[in-house]
Amino acid sequence: MPLHDPFVVADDRSRTYHLYTSNDPAVSGVDGTGTMVYRSADLRDWTRPEVVFRTADQHGIWASDGAWAPEVHAWNGRFYLFTTLHDENKPLKVPPANRWGTPFQLPNHMRGTITAVSDSLSGPFTVVDPERPTPPENLMTLDGTLYVDPSGQPWMVYAHEWLQTVDGTMEAIRLAPDLTRTIGDPVFLFKASDASWLTEQIPGGMPHQLAPYITDGPQLYRTPDDSLLMLWSTYEKNVAGDDGTISGGYVQTYAVSRSGDLTGPWDQRRPLVREDSGHGMLFRTFDGQLMMIVHRPFENARGKLYEMRLTGSELRVLRRRADLDGGG
């Protein structure tokens, strides 16, 4: 099962798990950029995926590439798909300076999460605003997710690309009650370099700006004791080679809001899974077991499942479910 950025909806009514990922024409049999869904009753045996969203079917849509990190959320009796599109032919203005005080020259282009809606988990999904992404279009963003705060206010939480900031950030913006537009300005949550363990293997004095700090794949999760967690992914850094170049592997980590509110402050915790794994999300099985799904490796990715344990705000891996994900 090829899949990247997996997202599972456990539908109680049908007792069916829906696993959303970017369309792979070689698997779905349907050409085009979009989203496909696998279905299963037991997390082990899955149907052939069906395409539920295609950019080619959206009249006047602003971008037709990407369709990364699809998520589907139930809201007010309908289902909302978030997925990230981009258009490399629509450049963005490069910021005049980065956090190091020097010009940042990597090219930026339009990238952001769109919102689409359907009356069914099976789609088809129709984009609500074909002219622009949901977050501000002057920002290069990705991996938008839905969070509803205790007052009932919906938010989109997203990653602001390191390509535009060097030190990638997590940000949030309020959504209208029907999720069709944003309200107000983005709110900064934290930056990737707040995770102090990221640079533990880099010797003192080495210019850390040579290695960008990446934010990927936010997912918010409210615990039984009312703590607020955010799963997110990044690249752990280490020194590779005698020339001082810095590289690293993809990791799944998480943060905890000290206040229990979206605005934090956020305390960064140690990684949950390494081994070039990430973009995970939490869900509960129909028998109540907390599970995490990630993709591994980053290239030619497959889904990996883990049983998890929550103790207060502490999240831990209990065991890898190789019996479900095919091992390896």
Side-chain angles (χ1 to χ4, degrees):
M1 288 172 56
L3 58 89
H4 213 270
D5 306 338
F7 190 85
V8 173
V9 175
D11 180 41
D12 286 324
R13 289 185 299 177
S14 63
R15 303 287 288 184
T16 301
Y17 300 100
H18 294 68
L19 171 53
Y20 296 90
T21 189
S22 300
N23 181 43
D24 184 339
V27 180
S28 68
V30 178
D31 288 334
T33 300
T35 301
M36 64 184 189
V37 61
Y38 296 94
R39 297 181 184 86
S40 174
D42 58 9
L43 295 176
R44 186 178 66 88
D45 299 312
W46 297 85
T47 63
R48 180 175 177 171
E50 296 180 5
V51 173
V52 298
F53 171 80
R54 287 200 322 157
T55 58
D57 299 328
Q58 313 299 312
H59 179 70
I61 196 163
W62 63 272
S64 58
D65 292 325
W68 300 337
E71 302 187 1
V72 172
H73 300 271
W75 178 253
N76 287 344
R78 305 191 80 188
F79 297 97
Y80 289 82
L81 168 73
F82 291 178
T83 189
T84 300
L85 304 181
H86 63 90
D87 186 342
E88 295 182 0
N89 296 316
K90 294 179 179 178
L92 297 176
K93 183 178 179 181
V94 177
N98 58 32
R99 68 191 292 258
W100 314 109
T102 56
F104 187 47
Q105 298 299 327
L106 284 179
N108 298 174
H109 55 266
M110 280 192 70
R111 175 176 291 162
T113 300
I114 59 98
T115 304
V117 65
S118 175
D119 292 323
S120 168
L121 284 168
S122 300
F125 288 87
T126 302
V127 66
V128 300
D129 186 352
E131 296 184 359
R132 60 187 58 83
T134 302
E137 58 193 284
N138 64 309
L139 305 181
M140 194 177 188
T141 66
L142 75 168
D143 296 351
T145 189
L146 179 67
Y147 171 69
V148 181
D149 70 23
S151 72
Q153 170 65 54
W155 299 71
M156 180 179 281
V157 179
Y158 59 85
H160 191 167
E161 276 276 40
W162 67 274
L163 289 164
Q164 197 174 47
T165 64
V166 177
D167 195 349
T169 61
M170 288 298 182
E171 299 173 7
I173 193 164
R174 291 175 177 85
L175 297 175
D178 61 0
L179 309 188
T180 60
R181 59 184 176 85
T182 59
I183 300 171
D185 296 324
V187 176
F188 169 82
L189 304 181
F190 62 82
K191 58 187 185 298
S193 64
D194 289 343
S196 59
W197 49 264
L198 269 176
T199 56
E200 286 177 346
Q201 299 181 66
I202 299 178
M206 181 165 285
H208 292 186
Q209 63 266 40
L210 296 179
Y213 293 82
I214 294 170
T215 47
D216 269 357
Q219 188 218 5
L220 284 296
Y221 190 86
R222 181 71 65 178
T223 70
D225 74 345
D226 211 32
S227 297
L228 183 62
L229 312 184
M230 185 194 296
L231 269 67
W232 67 287
S233 292
T234 188
Y235 281 85
E236 193 169 27
K237 305 181 190 314
N238 50 63
V239 177
D242 296 330
D243 59 356
T245 56
I246 299 172
S247 63
Y250 203 49
V251 297
Q252 179 63 58
T253 188
Y254 76 111
V256 180
S257 172
R258 204 178 307 160
S259 66
D261 295 328
L262 179 61
T263 52
W266 290 88
D267 292 332
Q268 302 298 326
R269 302 297 168 88
R270 306 291 301 189
L272 295 164
V273 183
R274 289 183 165 91
E275 299 179 311
D276 201 23
S277 306
H279 204 109
M281 58 86 63
L282 296 171
F283 67 98
R284 287 199 178 271
T285 63
F286 296 127
D287 61 4
Q289 173 63 51
L290 184 64
M291 300 285 285
M292 181 174 73
I293 185 169
V294 302
H295 67 240
R296 190 178 84 212
F298 191 85
E299 300 293 336
N300 194 29
R302 298 295 190 269
K304 305 297 177 184
L305 288 160
Y306 296 83
E307 287 187 4
M308 307 297 289
R309 173 179 290 164
L310 265 173
T311 305
S313 63
E314 295 297 317
L315 186 62
R316 292 288 181 268
V317 174
L318 285 179
R319 62 174 175 143
R320 161 88 186 285
R321 290 299 303 272
D323 58 312
L324 296 177
D325 64 32

